Amino acid sequence: MNEADLDHVQRLLPRLLGAWAALSVLGGLAAYVAGRRRGDEALAAFGRQSAAWGAVDAAIAAAGERGRRRGEHRPPEVAARRLRRLLWANAVADVGYVAGGVAWARRPGSTATGDSAAVVIQGAFLFVLDVAFAHALRSAQG
């Protein structure tokens, strides 16, 4: 993998995650407010859960961007391999989030549906993001 390809991935990944985080926070807050106004606890729970995940995603995106700007001085192949391993590990965790969300949906309770739907959506998006970038890094290596 050449340095330009790695730099592109390292720039794009936190930007996409940051955009998703902003959408999750803003959309989540809007859903929370709408749910509270309507007395729809499931919608309020969906919004609260989405906003919380978005805040965590924003922190991760910011940390990734800070790390990129610090510029670790590793050969591009080594840096790409480390990032790919991290993305695959995250993908495994993402599967756990989706499975946990599905299990949560089966629990009775007024907010379980809203909370669990948000967890499944967040986990599914993160899975797609992590797997896509892990594959991109592998493809760029040839």
Side-chain angles (χ1 to χ4, degrees), residues 8-85:
H8 176 72
V9 166
Q10 289 176 324
R11 286 177 185 275
L12 187 57
L13 182 56
R15 286 181 183 161
L16 288 175
L17 184 58
W20 174 255
L23 179 67
S24 295
V25 169
L26 295 175
L29 291 174
Y32 176 77
V33 169
R36 298 299 288 172
R37 284 186 179 157
R38 294 181 192 161
D40 184 339
E41 287 301 315
L43 180 59
F46 176 85
R48 180 182 60 242
Q49 191 73 236
S50 296
W53 277 78
V56 171
D57 290 341
I60 293 168
E65 181 61 19
R66 274 192 310 275
R68 185 194 64 77
R69 287 184 183 191
R70 261 190 262 125
E72 294 181 3
H73 299 290
R74 290 190 172 92
E77 298 79 22
V78 173
R81 188 172 40 249
R82 285 187 72 207
L83 180 54
R84 194 173 61 249
R85 284 182 185 156

